Amino acid sequence: ADAERKLAEKVESTSTSTRTRDRLADAERKLAEKDEPTKTSTRTRDRLASAEKKLAEKRYSSETSSRTRDKLAEAERKLAEKYSGPAATSSKTRDKLAELEKKLADRETSSNTRDKLKDAEEKLARLRMKSRKEEISSYALDEFEKKQMLLKKLLEKNKNADVAFLVDCTGSMAGYINETKNQIQSIASEIVEIYENKLRIAFVGYRDHSDGARRIESLAFTEDVEEFKMFVNTIRAMGGGDAPEDVLGGLEAVINLGWSSAAKVVFHVGDAPQHGGRFHDFGPGGDSYYGEEPRGM
């Protein structure tokens, strides 16, 4: 607005200068028309000098107005550059800045998404681990229960037992036979009472080859504990001869018992080894059958 005001003043000044020049030209023309230029009055000369001075002032004013217009044009050009150059550049910069901010926001969003995805994956892994542990625990529990059931079936199947007592009944057992008979009777009774199973019990008493028909005395498997006790009470410690005994003959009699239960138990009570140098260190003098077992066992 200031520039436009100044421009209007300069245009008005120029118009005024033009009118002044026209008046001056008219004055010079009239002066030339005078018949006696030499007699021009002082007053006319003064007026002429005044007119020339004003003309000079007007010319200077015109030049000044021209410079003002040039400055105004320069100002308008700079103003145009301001809005068409740097302003446009600033606008582009703002656009680029906005684009960068958008990309940055997108990256931040992507980063947040990755973080959330990672967190979700970790939670999923923990859930899978927990589920796996639960599956393992469930599997272990199932396996344990299966084994328990199998054990229960095995126990049910094998709770019944065949128990045989193999006892050295030679003379050397005289000091132990009575206590031995008491103990095996007690064992048989306790097995039945404690385990509440079906028990079959048998007895094999062995002596030595020299004892003939009394070499082996046995009772086949029976469920009657009282029958077993009565038979054991009839056993006497007798015979024998040398130190070794017919242990293998006693084992043979035990093997030939009528075993039927899945659980088979043998209690062996004795105080002497089997005949033969590989079973003892008595030497030939201490074993009547040192070199060869009479029955070839």
Side-chain angles (χ1 to χ4, degrees):
D2 183 63
E4 289 176 349
R5 180 181 58 77
K6 290 182 178 181
L7 181 62
E9 290 177 354
K10 296 304 177 183
V11 171
E12 183 180 358
S13 175
T14 301
S15 299
T16 305
S17 298
T18 300
R19 289 195 300 271
T20 302
R21 284 196 297 272
D22 292 341
R23 289 177 64 190
L24 180 59
D26 184 66
E28 289 176 342
R29 180 177 58 77
K30 289 180 179 181
L31 184 61
E33 291 176 354
K34 296 292 183 178
D35 293 334
E36 297 179 356
T38 57
K39 295 182 180 180
T40 302
S41 62
T42 302
R43 198 166 38 201
T44 300
R45 287 195 297 273
D46 293 339
R47 289 178 62 190
L48 180 59
S50 176
E52 290 176 346
K53 179 180 179 182
K54 289 181 179 180
L55 180 61
E57 290 176 353
K58 296 303 180 182
R59 286 175 180 172
Y60 176 76
S61 176
S62 177
E63 291 176 358
T64 302
S65 298
S66 178
R67 285 196 299 272
T68 300
R69 285 194 299 273
D70 290 341
K71 288 182 180 180
L72 179 61
E74 177 70 14
E76 290 174 343
R77 182 181 62 78
K78 289 182 178 180
L79 185 63
E81 289 178 355
K82 180 177 180 181
Y83 284 100
S84 63
T89 303
S90 298
S91 178
K92 291 179 181 178
T93 301
R94 285 193 298 273
D95 292 341
K96 289 182 178 180
L97 180 60
E99 183 180 358
L100 289 174
E101 289 175 343
K102 182 177 180 298
K103 289 181 178 180
L104 182 59
D106 292 341
R107 288 183 181 179
E108 290 177 352
T109 302
S110 300
S111 178
N112 292 335
T113 302
R114 284 194 299 272
D115 291 341
K116 290 180 179 179
L117 179 60
K118 183 178 179 181
D119 183 61
E121 290 174 345
E122 290 176 353
K123 289 182 178 178
L124 180 59
R126 288 195 293 271
L127 288 174
R128 285 176 177 172
M129 181 63 71
K130 182 180 180 181
S131 177
R132 179 60 178 164
K133 288 181 179 178
E134 291 176 351
E135 288 177 2
I136 292 173
S137 298
S138 178
Y139 174 78
L141 181 60
D142 291 342
E143 287 298 307
F144 175 76
E145 290 177 348
K146 288 178 181 178
K147 290 179 180 179
Q148 288 293 97
M149 289 299 296
L150 179 60
L151 181 59
K152 184 177 180 180
K153 290 179 180 179
L154 289 173
L155 290 175
E156 184 69 24
K157 181 180 179 181
N158 298 320
K159 73 176 182 178
N160 299 328
D162 288 346
V163 179
F165 292 90
L166 177 61
V167 181
D168 180 353
C169 296
T170 61
S172 63
M173 286 288 292
Y176 314 105
I177 193 66
N178 289 331
E179 185 61 27
T180 299
K181 290 190 290 184
N182 292 333
Q183 288 298 323
I184 61 177
Q185 291 179 34
S186 175
I187 291 171
S189 298
E190 287 182 3
I191 290 175
V192 175
E193 291 175 3
I194 294 175
Y195 297 102
E196 298 180 353
N197 54 2
K198 181 180 179 181
L199 177 67
R200 298 199 314 155
I201 49 181
F203 181 90
V204 173
Y206 65 90
R207 295 184 176 89
D208 207 350
H209 298 289
S210 60
D211 293 316
R214 289 183 175 271
R215 183 180 64 86
I216 300 294
E217 290 187 275
S218 64
L219 173 68
F221 283 112
T222 178
E223 296 180 21
D224 190 342
V225 177
E226 294 303 319
E227 179 186 4
F228 174 80
K229 291 179 180 180
M230 290 175 61
F231 179 83
V232 170
N233 286 331
T234 65
I235 299 300
R236 300 290 181 267
M238 56 186 294
D242 57 2
E245 311 296 354
D246 187 16
V247 178
L248 293 182
L251 288 172
E252 180 185 31
V254 167
I255 291 172
N256 291 329
L257 291 171
W259 300 85
S260 63
S261 298
K264 302 174 176 67
V265 182
V266 176
F267 288 94
H268 185 189
V269 183
D271 66 347
Q274 163 65 25
H275 287 287
R278 59 190 176 132
F279 297 108
H280 59 75
D281 57 359
F282 299 152
D287 186 354
S288 302
Y289 306 97
Y290 183 79
E292 182 180 359
E293 212 279 330
R295 299 177 58 246
M297 294 185 68

